[in-house]
Amino acid sequence: RARGGELFVFADADTRIVQDVLERTHSRDLGAERVQLESAMLAKARAQAGHIHVDKNQVSVGGQRFALPAGIAPLLALAPNQKLLSSLWRAIDQGGTALVSAAPGGGAAFTTRWLLQATQKSHHILRLSPSTAIDNLLGTFRSDEHGQMRVQYGELVTCFSKGGVFVVDGFEKASDELREMLIQLAHGAPTLHHKLSGETLTRDPNFRLVLICDRRHKLPQKLLRSADLVEVPPYSQDEQTRLLHEVYGLPSELAVKIAAAEHDIEEAAALGRNGLDFGRGFLPSWKLLHRVANRLRTRGIRSTEDAYEALFNIYGARLGDVEQRERLRAILRPHLREPKEVSARAKKSAR
């Protein structure tokens, strides 16, 4: 904030909090001159604090500038991804653990991978599943070229003892044993006991930990106390429209209609059996809309009928009965033209 002509520069996280409070406080009067001035000064403070900024086909990260491929620039320029990039860079550059609570299908792992590759940070990304064992991170016994059994260290051990960024994608899927170990590392544990070799490994000063989890899952309180939490919201309808047009080259009018249909599908899915019941664990998201857009782009399709069919094929396959599929059609019709053959099949099924 500006007080008496002096500019106070906050840390990046602090300026974001102030910005959020400012916008909510003045939500009814965002066009006012004073609010615009304060917002501009906060933006300047963030830039001076090392904030990541995406500008056209370039991104600035802590004083360094990187060229962006044309297809990636619009994605990284979106507010959720800029927020994620800034928080990740702060944790990686200054130390600590980044805890990313992200919407499914929002591309948090992709954005993280891009940042680490662009800045040439030594890293490893592990995508967890419920069956991932702790040995997948620590290592296992394997025979060497002489037939002798030796411990082959896992990527976590390598990052921990030699330095590097270890990224866990899907923290909510970790077993109890694995979760506890990751929480201890997030707390800053100086050593790591390797149960196979019996060694006690020392933490390298350049070791960093990034935990990505589904924002629908509750996070352990003891983890929240020791990690830098960044909450990444799902893409808004306007942001999805922008991606469909700028990244996938769909006509702007068609992009608007597809994003509006997706928005209504997401709202109906939130109602469960009273709306669209896709089954447990299935959530409409950008990940699925990306598949629709990619299919349309690959086939060079531009009509609303083809967009209707692409959306119906992906979402309709998850619906178990005729009534549910008819609800999906009712959601799509106001936005996209229904192909004649689809309409004919629907009438035949209804009989």
Side-chain angles (χ1 to χ4, degrees), residues 78-104:
L78 297 181
N81 290 330
Q82 287 217 38
K83 179 180 181 181
L84 173 58
L85 286 170
S86 295
S87 299
L88 282 175
W89 180 249
R90 184 172 60 253
I92 292 169
D93 188 50
Q94 300 177 10
T97 296
L99 177 59
V100 181
S101 178

mmCIF file of all heavy atoms in Angstrom, residues 78-104:
data_model
loop_
_atom_site.group_PDB
_atom_site.id
_atom_site.type_symbol
_atom_site.label_atom_id
_atom_site.label_comp_id
_atom_site.label_asym_id
_atom_site.label_seq_id
_atom_site.Cartn_x
_atom_site.Cartn_y
_atom_site.Cartn_z
ATOM 1 N N LEU A 78 -2.771 -17.839 -17.515
ATOM 2 C CA LEU A 78 -4.013 -17.852 -16.738
ATOM 3 C C LEU A 78 -3.709 -17.646 -15.253
ATOM 4 O O LEU A 78 -2.685 -18.105 -14.747
ATOM 5 C CB LEU A 78 -4.751 -19.171 -16.942
ATOM 6 C CG LEU A 78 -5.222 -19.470 -18.373
ATOM 7 C CD1 LEU A 78 -5.946 -20.798 -18.413
ATOM 8 C CD2 LEU A 78 -6.099 -18.351 -18.895
ATOM 9 N N ALA A 79 -4.628 -16.975 -14.565
ATOM 10 C CA ALA A 79 -4.415 -16.618 -13.159
ATOM 11 C C ALA A 79 -4.082 -17.816 -12.265
ATOM 12 O O ALA A 79 -3.156 -17.734 -11.450
ATOM 13 C CB ALA A 79 -5.639 -15.876 -12.624
ATOM 14 N N PRO A 80 -4.797 -18.970 -12.376
ATOM 15 C CA PRO A 80 -4.443 -20.100 -11.500
ATOM 16 C C PRO A 80 -3.012 -20.578 -11.703
ATOM 17 O O PRO A 80 -2.327 -20.921 -10.730
ATOM 18 C CB PRO A 80 -5.454 -21.187 -11.914
ATOM 19 C CG PRO A 80 -6.610 -20.434 -12.473
ATOM 20 C CD PRO A 80 -6.007 -19.264 -13.182
ATOM 21 N N ASN A 81 -2.533 -20.581 -12.953
ATOM 22 C CA ASN A 81 -1.182 -21.066 -13.225
ATOM 23 C C ASN A 81 -0.123 -20.053 -12.822
ATOM 24 O O ASN A 81 0.967 -20.435 -12.377
ATOM 25 C CB ASN A 81 -1.048 -21.437 -14.698
ATOM 26 C CG ASN A 81 -1.836 -22.681 -15.041
ATOM 27 O OD1 ASN A 81 -2.025 -23.554 -14.195
ATOM 28 N ND2 ASN A 81 -2.322 -22.771 -16.263
ATOM 29 N N GLN A 82 -0.405 -18.757 -12.969
ATOM 30 C CA GLN A 82 0.551 -17.753 -12.499
ATOM 31 C C GLN A 82 0.690 -17.821 -10.980
ATOM 32 O O GLN A 82 1.786 -17.690 -10.432
ATOM 33 C CB GLN A 82 0.104 -16.355 -12.932
ATOM 34 C CG GLN A 82 0.290 -16.106 -14.418
ATOM 35 C CD GLN A 82 0.729 -14.683 -14.722
ATOM 36 O OE1 GLN A 82 1.514 -14.088 -13.993
ATOM 37 N NE2 GLN A 82 0.211 -14.139 -15.797
ATOM 38 N N LYS A 83 -0.422 -18.038 -10.297
ATOM 39 C CA LYS A 83 -0.386 -18.189 -8.840
ATOM 40 C C LYS A 83 0.449 -19.406 -8.455
ATOM 41 O O LYS A 83 1.278 -19.351 -7.533
ATOM 42 C CB LYS A 83 -1.805 -18.330 -8.304
ATOM 43 C CG LYS A 83 -1.894 -18.527 -6.796
ATOM 44 C CD LYS A 83 -3.343 -18.668 -6.350
ATOM 45 C CE LYS A 83 -3.436 -18.846 -4.838
ATOM 46 N NZ LYS A 83 -4.844 -19.005 -4.396
ATOM 47 N N LEU A 84 0.251 -20.509 -9.162
ATOM 48 C CA LEU A 84 0.994 -21.735 -8.883
ATOM 49 C C LEU A 84 2.482 -21.533 -9.149
ATOM 50 O O LEU A 84 3.333 -21.910 -8.336
ATOM 51 C CB LEU A 84 0.447 -22.881 -9.744
ATOM 52 C CG LEU A 84 1.220 -24.197 -9.704
ATOM 53 C CD1 LEU A 84 1.296 -24.735 -8.278
ATOM 54 C CD2 LEU A 84 0.563 -25.225 -10.620
ATOM 55 N N LEU A 85 2.824 -20.936 -10.298
ATOM 56 C CA LEU A 85 4.225 -20.725 -10.651
ATOM 57 C C LEU A 85 4.941 -19.867 -9.611
ATOM 58 O O LEU A 85 6.065 -20.177 -9.194
ATOM 59 C CB LEU A 85 4.326 -20.065 -12.024
ATOM 60 C CG LEU A 85 4.031 -20.953 -13.238
ATOM 61 C CD1 LEU A 85 3.932 -20.110 -14.505
ATOM 62 C CD2 LEU A 85 5.093 -22.027 -13.396
ATOM 63 N N SER A 86 4.293 -18.786 -9.176
ATOM 64 C CA SER A 86 4.920 -17.892 -8.197
ATOM 65 C C SER A 86 5.175 -18.603 -6.875
ATOM 66 O O SER A 86 6.249 -18.470 -6.273
ATOM 67 C CB SER A 86 4.031 -16.665 -7.970
ATOM 68 O OG SER A 86 3.929 -15.892 -9.145
ATOM 69 N N SER A 87 4.190 -19.361 -6.417
ATOM 70 C CA SER A 87 4.335 -20.064 -5.135
ATOM 71 C C SER A 87 5.391 -21.163 -5.224
ATOM 72 O O SER A 87 6.185 -21.354 -4.289
ATOM 73 C CB SER A 87 2.986 -20.651 -4.707
ATOM 74 O OG SER A 87 2.029 -19.630 -4.541
ATOM 75 N N LEU A 88 5.414 -21.874 -6.332
ATOM 76 C CA LEU A 88 6.417 -22.926 -6.512
ATOM 77 C C LEU A 88 7.818 -22.341 -6.540
ATOM 78 O O LEU A 88 8.740 -22.864 -5.906
ATOM 79 C CB LEU A 88 6.147 -23.682 -7.816
ATOM 80 C CG LEU A 88 5.033 -24.723 -7.817
ATOM 81 C CD1 LEU A 88 4.833 -25.270 -9.224
ATOM 82 C CD2 LEU A 88 5.325 -25.855 -6.851
ATOM 83 N N TRP A 89 7.961 -21.252 -7.295
ATOM 84 C CA TRP A 89 9.297 -20.671 -7.417
ATOM 85 C C TRP A 89 9.800 -20.161 -6.068
ATOM 86 O O TRP A 89 10.978 -20.302 -5.739
ATOM 87 C CB TRP A 89 9.291 -19.538 -8.432
ATOM 88 C CG TRP A 89 10.652 -18.908 -8.581
ATOM 89 C CD1 TRP A 89 11.034 -17.666 -8.197
ATOM 90 C CD2 TRP A 89 11.822 -19.542 -9.116
ATOM 91 N NE1 TRP A 89 12.356 -17.463 -8.472
ATOM 92 C CE2 TRP A 89 12.875 -18.600 -9.038
ATOM 93 C CE3 TRP A 89 12.067 -20.793 -9.648
ATOM 94 C CZ2 TRP A 89 14.159 -18.885 -9.484
ATOM 95 C CZ3 TRP A 89 13.355 -21.083 -10.098
ATOM 96 C CH2 TRP A 89 14.379 -20.142 -10.009
ATOM 97 N N ARG A 90 8.902 -19.593 -5.275
ATOM 98 C CA ARG A 90 9.304 -19.109 -3.954
ATOM 99 C C ARG A 90 9.808 -20.262 -3.095
ATOM 100 O O ARG A 90 10.842 -20.153 -2.437
ATOM 101 C CB ARG A 90 8.137 -18.401 -3.275
ATOM 102 C CG ARG A 90 8.500 -17.788 -1.931
ATOM 103 C CD ARG A 90 7.372 -16.917 -1.382
ATOM 104 N NE ARG A 90 6.145 -17.673 -1.190
ATOM 105 C CZ ARG A 90 5.077 -17.572 -1.959
ATOM 106 N NH1 ARG A 90 5.079 -16.772 -3.008
ATOM 107 N NH2 ARG A 90 3.987 -18.282 -1.702
ATOM 108 N N ALA A 91 9.080 -21.389 -3.108
ATOM 109 C CA ALA A 91 9.485 -22.539 -2.304
ATOM 110 C C ALA A 91 10.788 -23.151 -2.814
ATOM 111 O O ALA A 91 11.667 -23.531 -2.030
ATOM 112 C CB ALA A 91 8.378 -23.592 -2.304
ATOM 113 N N ILE A 92 10.934 -23.231 -4.139
ATOM 114 C CA ILE A 92 12.125 -23.846 -4.727
ATOM 115 C C ILE A 92 13.339 -22.948 -4.544
ATOM 116 O O ILE A 92 14.441 -23.418 -4.240
ATOM 117 C CB ILE A 92 11.882 -24.136 -6.220
ATOM 118 C CG1 ILE A 92 10.825 -25.240 -6.369
ATOM 119 C CG2 ILE A 92 13.178 -24.544 -6.915
ATOM 120 C CD1 ILE A 92 10.329 -25.422 -7.785
ATOM 121 N N ASP A 93 13.145 -21.644 -4.707
ATOM 122 C CA ASP A 93 14.266 -20.711 -4.644
ATOM 123 C C ASP A 93 14.700 -20.431 -3.211
ATOM 124 O O ASP A 93 15.891 -20.317 -2.929
ATOM 125 C CB ASP A 93 13.870 -19.409 -5.344
ATOM 126 C CG ASP A 93 15.042 -18.444 -5.486
ATOM 127 O OD1 ASP A 93 16.102 -18.889 -5.968
ATOM 128 O OD2 ASP A 93 14.902 -17.273 -5.107
ATOM 129 N N GLN A 94 13.718 -20.341 -2.298
ATOM 130 C CA GLN A 94 14.034 -19.949 -0.929
ATOM 131 C C GLN A 94 14.062 -21.121 0.045
ATOM 132 O O GLN A 94 14.464 -20.964 1.192
ATOM 133 C CB GLN A 94 13.021 -18.906 -0.452
ATOM 134 C CG GLN A 94 13.015 -17.645 -1.307
ATOM 135 C CD GLN A 94 11.950 -16.657 -0.870
ATOM 136 O OE1 GLN A 94 11.329 -16.812 0.179
ATOM 137 N NE2 GLN A 94 11.721 -15.638 -1.685
ATOM 138 N N GLY A 95 13.619 -22.281 -0.399
ATOM 139 C CA GLY A 95 13.622 -23.454 0.472
ATOM 140 C C GLY A 95 12.258 -23.716 1.068
ATOM 141 O O GLY A 95 11.396 -22.845 1.098
ATOM 142 N N GLY A 96 12.059 -24.937 1.522
ATOM 143 C CA GLY A 96 10.778 -25.304 2.108
ATOM 144 C C GLY A 96 10.033 -26.301 1.244
ATOM 145 O O GLY A 96 10.523 -26.767 0.214
ATOM 146 N N THR A 97 8.825 -26.609 1.679
ATOM 147 C CA THR A 97 7.972 -27.564 0.984
ATOM 148 C C THR A 97 6.763 -26.839 0.417
ATOM 149 O O THR A 97 6.114 -26.060 1.120
ATOM 150 C CB THR A 97 7.500 -28.674 1.931
ATOM 151 O OG1 THR A 97 8.636 -29.422 2.380
ATOM 152 C CG2 THR A 97 6.525 -29.621 1.230
ATOM 153 N N ALA A 98 6.450 -27.087 -0.846
ATOM 154 C CA ALA A 98 5.260 -26.514 -1.475
ATOM 155 C C ALA A 98 4.162 -27.558 -1.463
ATOM 156 O O ALA A 98 4.349 -28.673 -1.962
ATOM 157 C CB ALA A 98 5.563 -26.074 -2.905
ATOM 158 N N LEU A 99 3.027 -27.206 -0.876
ATOM 159 C CA LEU A 99 1.867 -28.086 -0.841
ATOM 160 C C LEU A 99 0.816 -27.506 -1.779
ATOM 161 O O LEU A 99 0.226 -26.462 -1.494
ATOM 162 C CB LEU A 99 1.326 -28.195 0.583
ATOM 163 C CG LEU A 99 0.061 -29.018 0.790
ATOM 164 C CD1 LEU A 99 0.263 -30.451 0.316
ATOM 165 C CD2 LEU A 99 -0.353 -28.996 2.255
ATOM 166 N N VAL A 100 0.606 -28.161 -2.906
ATOM 167 C CA VAL A 100 -0.280 -27.655 -3.957
ATOM 168 C C VAL A 100 -1.618 -28.371 -3.865
ATOM 169 O O VAL A 100 -1.699 -29.579 -4.100
ATOM 170 C CB VAL A 100 0.341 -27.857 -5.350
ATOM 171 C CG1 VAL A 100 -0.591 -27.299 -6.434
ATOM 172 C CG2 VAL A 100 1.714 -27.199 -5.433
ATOM 173 N N SER A 101 -2.654 -27.637 -3.489
ATOM 174 C CA SER A 101 -4.008 -28.178 -3.441
ATOM 175 C C SER A 101 -4.721 -27.709 -4.706
ATOM 176 O O SER A 101 -5.114 -26.544 -4.812
ATOM 177 C CB SER A 101 -4.733 -27.668 -2.183
ATOM 178 O OG SER A 101 -6.058 -28.145 -2.143
ATOM 179 N N ALA A 102 -4.846 -28.603 -5.674
ATOM 180 C CA ALA A 102 -5.280 -28.199 -7.009
ATOM 181 C C ALA A 102 -6.545 -28.919 -7.446
ATOM 182 O O ALA A 102 -6.845 -30.023 -6.986
ATOM 183 C CB ALA A 102 -4.169 -28.460 -8.027
ATOM 184 N N ALA A 103 -7.276 -28.285 -8.342
ATOM 185 C CA ALA A 103 -8.455 -28.906 -8.929
ATOM 186 C C ALA A 103 -8.021 -30.020 -9.877
ATOM 187 O O ALA A 103 -7.044 -29.864 -10.607
ATOM 188 C CB ALA A 103 -9.277 -27.863 -9.695
ATOM 189 N N PRO A 104 -8.717 -31.162 -9.871
ATOM 190 C CA PRO A 104 -8.363 -32.260 -10.778
ATOM 191 C C PRO A 104 -8.436 -31.813 -12.234
ATOM 192 O O PRO A 104 -9.344 -31.074 -12.621
ATOM 193 C CB PRO A 104 -9.428 -33.328 -10.481
ATOM 194 C CG PRO A 104 -9.953 -32.980 -9.130
ATOM 195 C CD PRO A 104 -9.865 -31.491 -9.008
#
